[in-house]
Amino acid sequence: MRNVLPDPSIHKHCTDTSTFIEDLINKYERQITNFVYTYVKDWSAAQEITQDVFIKAYEKSYTFEGRSNVKTWLFTIAANQSKDYLRALERRKKGLKYLFSNMITNVEKNTPETIFITNESNQTLAESVLALPVIYREVVILFYYEDLPTKEIGDLLQMSSSTVRTRLNRARQMLKSLDEGSEINE
């Protein structure tokens, strides 16, 4: 197994894969958990999937060739693990609506969802973003909340950057129409 230490800013004195993964966990665990949460909408599931992401990164560290950023590599693993989880949920007939309602009723103090929903306008925006179809939600989260450029999002999701931009525009249009619809109802 080849030991790859792709990000010198993380691993100045790192000599083995275990230390490499430990450094990645320290640096990216919260970001990965928040990202996974946007897929699964369940805090405990997001934490479990995040653990799986780092286990997979440990097991597959020899496959990382350094052609992309470590963060992009981890987010790709996280996206794939999240999608696998959602497919498994569908097979068990547990819909995302149930998970979303649990998220709203089981808000815990100092969790990403309470920070995310600190005031009424943020709550409306959060609900709107989480209501988007996954193909639009993932690009919105990666672009606006994780500050990834469209090129890296494209690499992460295995699509062209123009497809990412198109999905961002469609997501913005969907959010705008949802916002206009809520203003009419008020």
Side-chain angles (χ1 to χ4, degrees):
M1 181 156 106
R2 189 176 79 170
N3 186 20
V4 177
L5 304 176
D7 189 351
S9 68
I10 297 174
H11 307 297
K12 290 183 180 169
H13 306 290
C14 180
T15 57
D16 64 8
T17 305
S18 298
T19 306
F20 170 63
I21 295 301
E22 188 176 317
D23 290 344
L24 291 179
I25 291 169
N26 290 336
K27 185 167 183 178
Y28 296 112
E29 179 183 19
R30 186 151 183 92
Q31 292 174 3
I32 296 292
T33 304
N34 291 338
F35 176 66
V36 169
Y37 178 82
T38 66
Y39 277 94
V40 299
K41 301 176 187 161
D42 179 81
W43 184 244
S44 61
Q47 290 173 323
E48 288 179 34
I49 293 168
T50 300
Q51 289 175 359
D52 293 341
V53 167
F54 288 107
I55 290 169
K56 185 160 275 201
Y58 177 77
E59 292 171 347
K60 302 290 184 177
S61 62
Y62 67 92
T63 65
F64 184 80
E65 297 175 356
R67 284 185 273 156
S68 66
N69 188 317
V70 173
K71 183 177 180 179
T72 303
W73 180 63
L74 287 172
F75 273 80
T76 301
I77 295 170
N80 290 335
Q81 292 290 104
S82 299
K83 290 173 185 176
D84 290 346
Y85 174 84
L86 290 176
R87 279 191 289 272
L89 270 183
E90 288 178 34
R91 284 192 300 270
R92 290 187 305 249
K93 306 286 185 201
K94 291 183 180 178
L96 291 177
K97 283 187 178 183
Y98 174 76
L99 294 175
F100 184 72
S101 67
N102 280 346
M103 178 196 73
I104 296 298
T105 57
N106 294 327
V107 174
E108 295 177 22
K109 192 174 185 177
N110 294 327
T111 61
E113 62 267 27
T114 58
I115 294 167
F116 194 71
I117 305 172
T118 55
N119 61 46
E120 198 168 306
S121 63
N122 280 348
Q123 182 176 359
T124 303
L125 179 59
E127 289 171 356
S128 297
V129 169
L130 292 174
L132 290 172
V134 171
I135 64 171
Y136 301 116
R137 184 183 334 134
E138 63 189 0
V139 294
V140 167
I141 297 299
L142 291 171
F143 187 78
Y144 289 106
Y145 297 99
E146 294 301 328
D147 294 323
L148 291 177
T150 57
K151 168 104 175 77
E152 280 191 40
I153 295 170
D155 293 344
L156 188 145
L157 299 175
Q158 298 174 343
M159 63 181 70
S160 68
S161 59
S162 63
T163 301
V164 172
R165 287 190 299 275
T166 299
R167 288 185 181 182
L168 277 170
N169 284 330
R170 289 180 183 163
R172 287 182 200 114
Q173 291 170 354
M174 293 171 90
L175 290 170
K176 186 176 181 180
S177 67
L178 285 172
D179 185 46
E180 289 170 353
S182 68
E183 287 176 6
I184 293 170
N185 293 333
E186 290 179 356

